[in-house]
Amino acid sequence: MDKNLVSMNKLKSDIKSMKLLSIFNQKKELKEIEKQLDEMLIQIDKFNSRFSDSGWCAYDSMSMDLIKKCNVEFEKNGLESAERILIDYYKSDVKEITHWIKNNSKEFSDRYNLLQAFFKNHFDEMYYSSVPLGLIIIDGAVNDFTKSKGFFAEGINIEAWDCLVGCSDGLEKLKKIFNKNRKKTNFEIIKMPYRNGILHGRDLNYANEYVSCKVLSLMFAVSDWMKMKNSEEQRKEEYHKSINSPPIWESIKHIKYNKKIQDEIEAWEKRIVCVGKDIPICGNVEEYIEYPYIVVVMNMINAWRSGNYGELSKYLKRMFSVSLSEGRRARECREFFENKKLISFELIEIEERACALSKVVIKVRWKENEKVKESELVFGCVYQGDKEKSEVAVPWRDNGEWVIIPWNIQGLYSL
């Protein structure tokens, strides 16, 4: 295991200590947790060792299912077939979460217009445009972030404490590969985003899905690095607090509590919610009380309708950069929505995916610059608890709150 994954190492050590003092049933539970943790670390290590030489690295927000899927395919059919899974993912599925890049740092948020152009060119397969634009965005964002050097500059430190992108086979390795000298004009097709060869006009056949997808993957990794670097001091402080952890018996008590919660979660039953039958298509907040995840969306709609941008920015917090203060986020929210006057809304689809996760699709109509526009917006509603507490938050215990996660709101950005 990479020594940089400090919290992972501590968790493994804690589990081993707890196993020594546990009774039989608890030992079984701890062994299962330990097995899952070991499997995750093994999958990450395999992924980096197998794919980093080809221009990919695991990063903190990367889907574990994607990592596992690639490893399984690699073992069955080899690198070329496994890499195809990554290409397909970054050409299509990843489209739903590209806003994460903007939201992770001010430096990427400042380049949102360029990011939109990059995403459009990439997903429209206009790789001659997407590749150099993506490299320029990354270099500039990192330059602003470090206040001294771009991503590809010599001597730049892209380490980060206790995170995947800070590991030895993470960003640092990709930087070295992509920053190779390209001193001769090359007419052959390349599959790596060689920054010097592309931006200096020496690699002429760079415009393909492999290169553009690797640029997008790199952008996610750099975005994660910025996010982890910004939170580094806070995470270190939390880690040092955890070292002075409560006695083992308290940890065992938490495990018992979490086991009880797990049993409750397994007993939860999904409801089929029919819009227009079980709930009104366009109602008041009071008409959705039995569905609190819809209530939070209705509150967001009411804040938009009334022009209460401070409240709206709280409901749509995940739409804006995580580094913004509440005041700055409210201002950005006002700038974005003040010319979008809501006319009407309709609930289109409700799907309860888990006890703490529901999908809500609404159609909204608004007036903007004398034009009436409409779009379907897709939100994930997640039930989250207090980060300071170790207990799992579930709706029936009323120990958290419903939070709106924008899954697909691209229609709001249409010209």
Side-chain angles (χ1 to χ4, degrees):
M1 189 195 313
D2 195 290
K3 64 181 180 180
N4 185 56
L5 298 176
V6 179
S7 58
M8 291 284 195
N9 282 295
K10 182 180 183 300
L11 181 56
K12 281 181 67 68
S13 176
D14 288 348
I15 291 173
K16 286 180 180 177
S17 299
M18 291 162 66
K19 280 166 62 181
L20 295 174
L21 299 175
S22 299
I23 61 176
F24 179 72
N25 287 338
Q26 291 165 348
K27 281 185 178 178
K28 285 178 63 177
E29 295 165 12
L30 287 168
K31 282 182 179 178
E32 183 59 31
I33 295 171
E34 186 176 35
K35 181 181 176 182
Q36 292 173 5
L37 178 60
D38 285 340
E39 174 63 16
M40 183 178 72
L41 293 170
I42 288 169
Q43 291 292 336
I44 291 168
D45 185 60
K46 283 182 177 179
F47 182 90
N48 278 338
S49 64
R50 291 165 172 174
F51 297 97
S52 60
D53 287 338
S54 299
W56 310 95
C57 78
Y59 47 86
D60 295 84
S61 64
M62 192 176 194
S63 164
M64 184 54 62
D65 287 340
L66 176 64
I67 290 172
K68 288 181 179 179
K69 191 176 179 182
C70 291
N71 281 330
V72 169
E73 187 63 24
F74 181 93
E75 290 162 6
K76 286 183 177 178
N77 299 307
L79 175 62
E80 186 175 343
S81 181
E83 201 171 12
R84 189 69 246 170
I85 292 175
L86 288 165
I87 295 299
D88 291 343
Y89 173 78
Y90 285 103
K91 284 184 67 177
S92 57
D93 294 352
V94 81
K95 190 173 185 179
E96 300 299 321
I97 59 170
T98 52
H99 59 276
W100 289 4
I101 293 174
K102 173 185 77 76
N103 292 349
N104 274 352
S105 76
K106 179 182 182 301
E107 290 74 20
F108 276 117
S109 180
D110 288 344
R111 290 163 171 77
Y112 191 55
N113 288 338
L114 292 177
L115 280 172
Q116 284 185 294
F118 165 74
F119 295 143
K120 185 178 189 310
N121 289 335
H122 173 75
F123 293 117
D124 288 347
E125 300 184 6
M126 298 169 61
Y127 301 133
Y128 277 107
S129 301
S130 66
V131 171
L133 182 54
L135 292 171
I136 289 168
I137 292 170
I138 292 168
D139 218 15
V142 173
N143 212 320
D144 284 355
F145 185 79
T146 64
K147 297 180 173 58
S148 61
K149 295 180 178 181
F151 179 74
F152 298 97
E154 285 189 20
I156 181 176
N157 182 353
I158 49 175
E159 296 178 354
W161 183 82
D162 192 29
C163 62
L164 285 180
V165 286
C167 292
S168 56
D169 282 335
L171 266 182
E172 183 62 39
K173 185 169 184 179
L174 294 198
K175 182 198 142 190
K176 289 177 181 177
I177 294 172
F178 298 161
N179 208 28
K180 285 183 177 179
N181 286 330
R182 310 289 286 176
K183 296 181 178 179
K184 295 181 180 179
T185 299
N186 173 39
F187 295 89
E188 300 296 321
I189 294 173
I190 59 172
K191 289 189 175 182
M192 293 282 203
Y194 295 124
R195 184 258 187 192
N196 295 324
I198 294 168
L199 296 187
H200 294 162
R202 307 309 293 271
D203 280 305
L204 305 185
N205 274 314
Y206 66 84
N208 59 72
E209 60 188 4
Y210 282 82
V211 177
S212 194
C213 286
K214 288 172 185 178
V215 169
L216 179 50
S217 175
L218 175 65
M219 197 176 284
F220 270 99
V222 170
S223 172
D224 268 12
W225 167 68
M226 290 180 176
K227 181 179 179 180
M228 299 305 282
K229 197 69 180 173
N230 277 331
S231 65
E232 192 172 69
E233 292 307 314
Q234 179 187 347
R235 291 185 294 111
K236 282 183 178 180
E237 183 179 340
E238 290 172 355
Y239 170 75
H240 290 307
K241 283 182 182 178
S242 72
I243 292 176
N244 299 315
S245 56
I248 292 295
W249 64 266
E250 282 196 23
S251 298
I252 293 173
K253 183 180 177 182
H254 280 301
I255 289 175
K256 286 183 177 179
Y257 172 81
N258 287 337
K259 177 64 170 61
K260 187 177 181 181
I261 293 291
Q262 186 61 42
D263 291 340
E264 293 177 6
I265 291 173
E266 290 175 2
W268 173 83
E269 293 185 3
K270 172 181 179 179
R271 293 178 293 182
I272 304 301
V273 185
C274 180
V275 178
K277 180 181 178 183
D278 300 316
I279 55 173
I281 295 174
C282 178
N284 298 317
V285 171
E286 294 75 16
E287 297 175 89
Y288 302 102
I289 293 298
E290 291 184 28
Y291 306 89
Y293 54 86
I294 302 179
V295 169
V296 73
V297 175
M298 292 301 104
N299 288 337
M300 178 271 292
I301 287 292
N302 288 336
W304 181 5
R305 179 187 284 129
S306 64
N308 190 338
Y309 303 112
E311 282 298 300
L312 184 59
S313 70
K314 293 176 183 177
Y315 289 115
L316 294 178
K317 186 175 182 179
R318 301 301 181 89
M319 186 175 165
F320 303 96
S321 173
V322 294
S323 62
L324 295 179
S325 65
E326 286 193 13
R328 174 71 187 278
R329 188 172 65 244
R331 287 195 295 274
E332 287 206 3
C333 184
R334 174 184 291 276
E335 290 171 5
F336 185 83
F337 280 99
E338 65 182 348
N339 292 324
K340 295 176 174 64
K341 303 301 181 184
L342 185 65
I343 299 171
S344 64
F345 79 92
E346 294 179 11
L347 284 174
I348 302 297
E349 179 188 352
I350 303 296
E351 180 188 357
E352 294 188 348
R353 294 191 171 182
C355 66
L357 173 64
S358 293
K359 174 184 176 184
V360 177
V361 183
I362 61 173
K363 181 189 287 185
V364 293
R365 297 177 72 243
W366 71 94
K367 189 173 183 180
E368 183 177 359
N369 299 327
E370 303 305 318
K371 293 182 180 178
V372 175
K373 300 182 179 182
E374 73 173 35
S375 177
E376 286 192 6
L377 308 179
V378 183
F379 298 105
C381 294
V382 180
Y383 195 75
Q384 295 183 346
D386 189 340
K387 291 182 179 179
E388 296 297 318
K389 298 179 180 178
S390 58
E391 65 181 35
V392 178
V394 286
W396 53 86
R397 285 182 174 261
D398 196 25
N399 58 350
E401 63 178 354
W402 286 100
V403 176
I404 297 173
I405 310 293
W407 280 356
N408 187 352
I409 57 171
Q410 295 302 316
L412 292 175
Y413 295 91
S414 62
L415 299 176

